[in-house]
């Protein structure tokens, strides 16, 4: 009898038909999505598959017909453009996280008391590609706002913010502008770039045309706005939009 009751409970607790959604996610948010997916799949029975890359690269793939159901970008402008071009549902777009830009060194002894001085002393400074990665764009804006355009010859560019972090972690660059979410473990030395040095790094999510009618895709977007998801997002060094 007990076994029968458990079976009936599970039948009603899980969706009548579990589905799979393919999520396109900006590289900086991949670790968060991996954690969120565990809770989401346990709660709903749906499955999530993830493809991570720079926001601009993912957008190009979406336009080219990639079968993504949901897009978690590292900016707000790219999802907005996809909505305008008919590749996404504008009614579903929202800001799921606000990122922080951090000037970081793997060397905990590096003096970042004056970030401008440290940047000028460094031989190499890593950034993400500002043409396709919003964190790279924010890094360039910060460099200009700090009157440091003269360090442009020192810049080494990763395709995405994950590669920028790897360049610094490996020692290929003494300093780099990375996502705050990548350095929450306290390793190395970091300086959080003041928010007024660059445009807000609003990260928007949107349901893509391919995901319309996919219950796993819409359920994941709902879960992303839940209190449980907000706690995970905060744990990884992001804030959420009010």
């Amino acid at each position: 009898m007990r076994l029968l009751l458990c079976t009936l409970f599970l039948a009603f607790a899980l969706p009548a038909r579990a589905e799979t959604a393919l999520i396109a996610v900006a590289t900086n948010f991949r670790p968060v999505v991996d954690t969120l997916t565990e809770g989401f799949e346990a709660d709903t029975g749906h499955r999530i598959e993830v493809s991570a890359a720079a926001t601009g690269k993912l957008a190009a793939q979406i336009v080219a017909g990639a079968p993504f159901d949901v897009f978690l970008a590292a900016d707000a402008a790219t999802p907005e453009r996809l909505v305008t071009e008919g590749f996404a549902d504008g009614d579903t777009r929202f800001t799921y996280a606000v990122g922080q830009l951090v000037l970081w060194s793997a060397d905990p002894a590096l003096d970042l008391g004056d970030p401008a001085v440290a940047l000028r002393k460094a031989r190499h400074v890593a950034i993400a590609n500002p043409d396709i990665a919003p964190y790279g764009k924010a890094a360039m804006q910060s460099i200009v706002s700090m009157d440091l355009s003269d360090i442009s010859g020192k810049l080494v560019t990763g395709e995405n913010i994950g590669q920028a972090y790897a360049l610094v972690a490996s020692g290929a660059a003494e300093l780099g502008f990375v996502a705050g979410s990548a350095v929450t473990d306290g390793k190395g030395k970091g300086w959080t770039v003041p928010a007024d040095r660059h445009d807000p790094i609003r990260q928007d999510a949107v349901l893509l045309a391919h995901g319309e009618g996919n219950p796993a895709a819409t359920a994941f977007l709902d879960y992303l706005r839940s209190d449980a998801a907000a706690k995970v997002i905060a744990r990884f060094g992001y804030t959420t939009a009010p």
Side-chain angles (χ1 to χ4, degrees), residues 18-35:
E19 299 284 354
T20 298
L22 180 56
I23 310 298
V25 59
T27 304
N28 70 285
F29 206 71
R30 173 65 189 263
V32 193
V33 168
D34 288 342
T35 301

Side-chain angles (χ1 to χ4, degrees), residues 141-162:
Q141 290 174 338
S142 301
I143 288 168
V144 171
S145 73
M146 296 167 70
D147 295 322
L148 290 171
S149 298
D150 54 304
I151 72 166
S152 59
K154 300 180 177 185
L155 300 181
V156 290
T157 304
E159 183 178 87
N160 54 55
I161 197 64

Side-chain angles (χ1 to χ4, degrees), residues 200-242:
I201 308 176
R202 278 182 47 208
Q203 302 193 193
D204 278 11
V206 70
L207 179 70
L208 298 171
H210 187 273
E212 292 180 3
N214 184 335
T218 54
F220 184 78
L221 285 173
D222 288 340
Y223 185 80
L224 196 58
R225 304 181 82 158
S226 69
D227 289 341
K231 291 178 182 177
V232 173
I233 291 168
R235 195 168 80 236
F236 277 85
Y238 297 88
T239 60
T240 51

Side-chain angles (χ1 to χ4, degrees), residues 148-202:
L148 290 171
S149 298
D150 54 304
I151 72 166
S152 59
K154 300 180 177 185
L155 300 181
V156 290
T157 304
E159 183 178 87
N160 54 55
I161 197 64
Q163 290 185 10
Y165 172 85
L167 286 168
V168 185
S170 68
E174 295 95 326
L175 281 171
F177 288 91
V178 305
S181 58
V183 293
T184 55
D185 57 8
K187 294 181 180 178
K189 176 68 73 67
W191 173 71
T192 301
V193 180
D196 61 1
R197 296 287 187 180
H198 56 79
D199 292 340
I201 308 176
R202 278 182 47 208

